[in-house]
Amino acid sequence: MADMKIGAYVCQGCGLGERLDTKALTLVAQKEGKAHIVREHEFLCNSQGVAMIQKDIDEGVNRVVIGACSRRAKAEAFSFENVAVARVNLREQVIWSQPATEEARELTQEMAADYMRMGCAEAKKIQAPTPNPEHGTNRRVLVVGGGITGMTAALEAARAGYDVLLVEKTGALGGFMAKLHRRIPFREPFADPQATGVEALAAAVTQEPHITVFLNSTTTRTSGAPGRFSVDITTESGQTQTENVGAIVMASGFTPYDASKLPELGYGKSQNVVDQAGLETLARTAAARGEPMRRPSDGKEIKSVVFVQCAGQRDATGTHLKYCSGHCCNTSIKQAMYFKEQNPDIDTAIIYTDLRTPGNGEDFYRSAQKKGVIFTKGKVASVDVDAGGSAVVHFHDLILDDKAATMKDVDLVVLATGQVPNSGVNIDIPAGAEDVDTGKPTEQAVSVLNLTYRQGPDVPQLRYGFTDSHFICFPYETRRTGIYTAGPVRRPMDIAQAVEDATGAALKAIQAVENAGLGRAAHPRSGDLSYPTFRREGCTQCKRCTVECPFGAIDEDEQRYPQFNEGRCRRCGTCMGACPVRVISFENYSVDSVGSQIKAVDVPDEFSEKPRILLLACENDAYPALDMAGVSGHTSSAFIRTIPVRCLGSVNMIWITDALNSGYDGVMLMGCRHGDEYQCHFVKGSELANYRMSKIDDTLKNLNLEKDRVRVLEVAIADIARVPELINDYAAKIQEIGMSPFKGF
């Protein structure tokens, strides 16, 4: 503490000088914040202002407090090396959130003064973070899966200059696409099925010097972290070799939904009822022989074909797949064209409930109409097959509202059964079902990566078995840092989408290895050098940090103390919020750094009628929404004092009790939506915080306080108008309840 030297700087630009007494703010920083150097400047972010701060740093300042705009603005201008920087938001959340009237001037100045006190208090408790010297530096990328997604990801990474290991469980590259006769068109004129190009792509992979291909191989053990993963690759011979890689792309693909679960649609009753994968085999075999496709049961000429959409998909009963697999409508159009190419007189009908042909699929659909493919809006109820092999399709015609509509004498019925992800834990693939890649029986719940994490061998899944990720902001990231998913294992998609997905995942893998080599976080706090540490002597070995970490970043050592793996850490601070004895912290974010800000606020006495409400706001959604509310001119209560937190999961209960004991009249927590449709950037943080706060009633009861003194709210980054309304409503509620009885103690 003796060598701490704080420099506090107050900006006068953007209207701050007109709305605030900036001289008084520098005095607050000097007298109450104990800043060694205090300065005002007309525009701190311009070259002269930055140079002024840098000069003071060169002369010994090692803590910088900047009273200006939001921490989300001018980040590059106020990025100073080897010093801790505390940002004080005087613009968006003070002058822009308050009315520009003489009546509001006093309260606005009080807000600004409190925020300066809070900034100085934070600066005393933080340090400039330094990277962990034990970070990994391996820059190789492992791609698991040799289908279109895996091959594309491998090529993209290799062409960017990175060495790639590509592991494929079968004896050839190509995956499911190698079993297709043609693919949905992906270039102009989007009118006809096109060649898959899988042979050329596989050749490009095998000829690429930066790619090493392992065929008939699986990953049998994966451990480590970004920049230093260790992977055991076992070949068909049973030999295992250990490879070190920096990042992993999981492109394990999908398996078609088991059509044997659809006996009501005729599957299993006749060879003339097939799924889409079965039709591709039929078309490929016929093309290889130079013959037309014929009825599988007896080899007779095919004169009529019916395609049944959403077979075992979009099922509201929960018996089958609840979701749409995205590609099936265009796939049926493509397959209908196989028959029109074979013979334009073949009757082809597609029975659909909703026809979904996104992008240029609309052109493809129009082309099919011109070729005579019939599209009927209906819901198929059942398929009967007679002794001669012909089928009768019973359906509800949704256009005519005819519930007893039929299509008779159908030679071939094709079921669009949808995609089930090969994610390692799959309830929809029964043990013994045939694997589409190998043609051999597969086993249920076979791990793809075989992780050695204490949380289990698989990458965590969302509903339906798709890998977990923040779908909106971080689609490729899994809850295992440095491991990225792409293609149908992440969500249902067609080939064109899988290619784009593979490119995105490859870029994220590259970002991961580069950040790992610098000891930095990859996402969502990209570039953050901090990582959690703990005081061993104070740890009670309660294991809450290891259990609650959403990313498997904390293991246990031989003595059962937490063992932090900073390479896996996302820097959310959930472990810090979980710790009941408060021994976990980051260099630039800790229980003390936030707690000191809470205590630095000047809480008026009970007679002033000026409540103080603490707002702990998630920096990913709530805090940006507050900023944008100020930019948009929405006003909010002047009694709020906001502290941004990395995630609501990092909120330690001591902050709540400290605030209430210090005389705060209320505490608000604003975080992301949690649950199945979560938007939390740290997956479980908001949910964990909500669970912890559900038990706050006992604390309030022990303090003799009303339960409305603490409120937890879900907000989104787009809630620009709603957030100020929530604040104002809560401030009114506090006025109704009355001032805290703890004021003055």
Side-chain angles (χ1 to χ4, degrees):
M1 298 293 288
D3 60 352
M4 183 183 299
K5 190 174 183 180
I6 299 175
Y9 306 88
V10 180
C11 184
Q12 297 173 328
C14 299
L16 290 168
E18 290 79 27
R19 296 282 305 278
L20 299 172
D21 183 347
T22 55
K23 182 65 175 178
L25 295 180
T26 61
L27 292 176
V28 168
Q30 183 179 40
K31 294 181 178 179
E32 300 181 53
K34 307 301 181 184
H36 300 79
I37 294 175
V38 294
R39 303 190 193 281
E40 301 172 76
H41 195 276
E42 58 182 3
F43 281 105
L44 274 180
C45 62
N46 69 15
S47 57
Q48 293 86 2
V50 172
M52 176 186 71
I53 299 172
Q54 185 61 57
K55 182 175 182 295
D56 288 341
I57 292 172
D58 294 340
E59 294 176 356
V61 166
N62 53 21
R63 302 285 196 283
V64 173
V65 180
I66 296 174
C69 48
S70 169
R71 63 174 61 193
R72 300 175 61 251
K74 305 295 181 182
E76 291 187 7
F78 297 132
S79 177
F80 301 101
E81 293 184 0
N82 303 318
V83 295
V85 179
R87 298 288 299 273
V88 178
N89 192 346
L90 300 178
R91 188 179 69 175
E92 286 85 346
Q93 295 188 26
V94 178
I95 65 168
W96 286 0
S97 71
Q98 301 303 308
T101 62
E102 191 60 35
E103 293 80 8
R105 191 175 184 87
E106 179 184 350
L107 290 178
T108 304
Q109 185 71 25
E110 287 180 3
M111 286 185 76
D114 271 343
Y115 281 125
M116 285 303 298
R117 295 184 187 98
M118 293 162 73
C120 292
E122 180 186 15
K124 295 173 186 175
K125 298 292 184 178
I126 61 176
Q127 300 177 24
T130 55
N132 190 319
E134 298 179 3
H135 58 260
T137 56
N138 193 298
R139 301 173 79 246
R140 287 201 296 180
V141 176
L142 170 69
V143 177
V144 180
I148 178 66
T149 308
M151 290 192 293
T152 302
L155 280 172
E156 293 291 351
R159 288 167 179 171
Y162 294 82
D163 290 334
V164 178
L165 304 180
L166 177 59
V167 176
E168 165 57 34
K169 66 181 178 180
T170 70
L173 297 174
F176 190 77
M177 191 168 76
K179 302 187 178 300
L180 301 182
H181 175 51
R182 295 280 189 273
R183 63 175 288 187
I184 298 165
F186 61 101
R187 63 168 69 96
E188 290 288 353
F190 300 100
D192 299 289
Q194 296 174 355
T196 63
V198 66
E199 294 87 358
L201 187 63
V205 169
T206 56
Q207 293 167 14
E208 170 57 54
H210 283 292
I211 300 177
T212 301
V213 178
F214 293 84
L215 297 177
N216 292 313
S217 303
T218 57
T219 53
T220 51
R221 183 193 62 86
T222 304
S223 62
R228 53 182 182 186
F229 285 111
S230 175
V231 182
D232 286 352
I233 301 173
T234 302
T235 63
E236 188 177 30
S237 65
Q239 293 182 330
T240 299
Q241 64 186 78
T242 301
E243 299 286 348
N244 297 317
V245 298
I248 300 171
V249 175
M250 179 175 159
S252 49
F254 75 98
T255 297
Y257 183 66
D258 184 5
S260 66
K261 296 180 179 181
L262 304 168
E264 70 277 9
L265 298 183
Y267 195 87
K269 297 178 181 178
S270 169
Q271 292 177 288
N272 298 334
V273 180
V274 300
D275 61 5
Q276 288 181 328
L279 182 62
E280 292 294 336
T281 300
L282 192 68
R284 236 172 7 99
T285 302
R289 294 174 178 171
E291 300 174 351
M293 285 184 284
R294 297 184 180 277
R295 290 206 321 186
S297 64
D298 52 20
K300 289 184 179 180
E301 179 185 2
I302 294 175
K303 296 181 179 180
S304 63
V305 184
V306 171
F307 293 85
V308 178
Q309 298 308 105
C310 300
Q313 297 187 72
R314 302 175 65 197
D315 179 34
T317 68
T319 304
H320 305 295
L321 304 182
K322 292 184 179 181
Y323 53 86
C324 168
S325 291
H327 75 96
C328 310
C329 288
N330 274 331
T331 296
S332 288
I333 293 171
K334 176 195 71 171
Q335 293 180 337
M337 287 189 179
Y338 292 171
F339 293 98
K340 287 299 182 181
E341 291 170 0
Q342 178 175 315
N343 182 353
D345 293 331
I346 295 176
D347 290 330
T348 56
I350 297 175
I351 303 177
Y352 67 93
T353 50
D354 296 289
L355 198 63
R356 295 177 173 178
T357 58
N360 294 105
E362 184 73 14
D363 296 334
F364 194 37
Y365 160 66
R366 299 291 182 194
S367 176
Q369 282 186 315
K370 291 176 183 178
K371 292 181 179 182
V373 178
I374 303 301
F375 293 88
T376 299
K377 187 174 178 64
K379 179 66 175 176
V380 175
S382 63
V383 175
D384 294 327
V385 183
D386 62 26
S390 296
V392 179
V393 180
H394 303 271
F395 67 101
H396 178 191
D397 189 318
L398 296 174
I399 299 296
L400 302 177
D401 195 22
D402 180 2
K403 296 182 180 179
T406 60
M407 288 188 181
K408 300 179 180 180
D409 299 321
V410 178
D411 291 313
L412 190 68
V413 176
V414 184
L415 307 180
T417 52
Q419 297 178 339
V420 178
N422 294 334
S423 54
V425 177
N426 250 313
I427 60 171
D428 294 306
I429 303 177
E434 185 178 283
D435 187 291
V436 294
D437 290 330
T438 64
K440 300 176 182 178
T442 187
E443 297 179 4
Q444 188 175 6
V446 176
S447 298
V448 176
L449 298 177
N450 289 290
L451 303 175
T452 60
Y453 289 50
R454 70 187 302 273
Q455 292 84 358
D458 300 296
V459 173
Q461 284 88 40
L462 286 167
R463 292 174 301 172
Y464 317 130
F466 293 102
T467 56
D468 196 358
S469 69
H470 190 291
F471 188 80
I472 298 172
C473 299
F474 308 107
Y476 310 106
E477 280 85 348
T478 70
R479 285 167 59 187
R480 299 295 171 255
T481 311
I483 300 176
Y484 303 90
T485 53
V489 73
R490 188 176 72 79
R491 66 170 178 82
M493 62 181 69
D494 60 23
I495 292 173
Q497 292 170 325
V499 169
E500 290 185 4
D501 223 49
T503 303
L507 288 171
K508 295 304 292 185
I510 290 170
Q511 182 192 53
V513 298
E514 293 297 334
N515 277 312
L518 298 171
R520 305 190 308 189
H523 50 80
R525 295 183 58 82
S526 183
D528 189 354
L529 290 172
S530 69
Y531 56 92
T533 58
F534 80 109
R535 288 189 297 105
R536 188 184 183 92
E537 64 274 13
C539 178
T540 61
Q541 300 175 315
C542 70
K543 295 183 175 56
R544 283 182 57 181
C545 58
T546 58
V547 171
E548 294 192 13
C549 175
F551 308 109
I554 311 174
D555 292 317
E556 295 167 13
D557 64 17
E558 297 80 3
Q559 296 177 308
R560 303 180 71 182
Y561 284 102
Q563 188 173 37
F564 291 86
N565 191 324
E566 85 291 340
R568 299 178 187 173
C569 178
R570 303 283 178 91
R571 281 69 168 176
C572 61
T574 298
C575 55
M576 189 177 83
C579 182
V581 289
R582 303 181 292 283
V583 297
I584 301 174
S585 63
F586 298 76
E587 289 175 302
N588 57 355
Y589 183 64
S590 65
V591 172
D592 282 346
S593 70
V594 175
S596 63
Q597 293 179 69
I598 293 171
K599 295 173 183 176
V601 171
D602 182 17
V603 178
D605 61 35
E606 67 270 28
F607 305 109
S608 68
E609 297 299 321
K610 293 179 180 179
R612 286 293 178 264
I613 301 170
L614 173 65
L615 171 56
L616 299 171
C618 160
E619 69 176 10
N620 296 300
D621 281 85
Y623 199 76
L626 281 165
D627 277 353
M628 290 186 282
V631 172
S632 302
H634 297 287
T635 59
S636 55
S637 171
F639 303 131
I640 289 288
R641 299 296 181 263
T642 302
I643 298 177
V645 295
R646 293 185 176 183
C647 176
L648 283 196
S650 71
V651 173
N652 195 288
M653 291 294 292
I654 193 65
W655 295 342
I656 312 298
T657 54
D658 277 356
L660 296 173
N661 283 325
S662 298
Y664 281 82
D665 302 283
V667 179
M668 298 180 75
L669 287 83
M670 284 190 180
C672 309
R673 185 169 65 188
H674 55 83
D676 287 339
E677 304 294 334
Y678 75 86
Q679 292 185 2
C680 178
H681 285 57
F682 297 106
V683 185
K684 291 290 184 182
S686 184
E687 179 180 319
L688 288 167
N690 197 269
Y691 173 74
R692 294 172 196 157
M693 291 304 120
S694 68
K695 300 181 178 182
I696 197 68
D697 287 356
D698 291 338
T699 301
L700 294 170
K701 186 177 180 180
N702 290 336
L703 292 173
N704 247 354
L705 293 174
E706 300 84 353
K707 65 178 182 179
D708 284 331
R709 295 283 182 187
V710 178
R711 182 169 293 182
V712 184
L713 298 164
E714 293 182 3
V715 300
I717 195 170
D719 288 339
I720 298 170
R722 177 172 171 258
V723 166
E725 290 178 0
L726 293 172
I727 291 173
N728 293 333
D729 289 346
Y730 186 62
K733 182 66 177 178
I734 291 300
Q735 294 275 21
E736 177 187 326
I737 296 173
M739 300 297 103
S740 168
F742 287 92
K743 289 183 181 294
F745 286 91

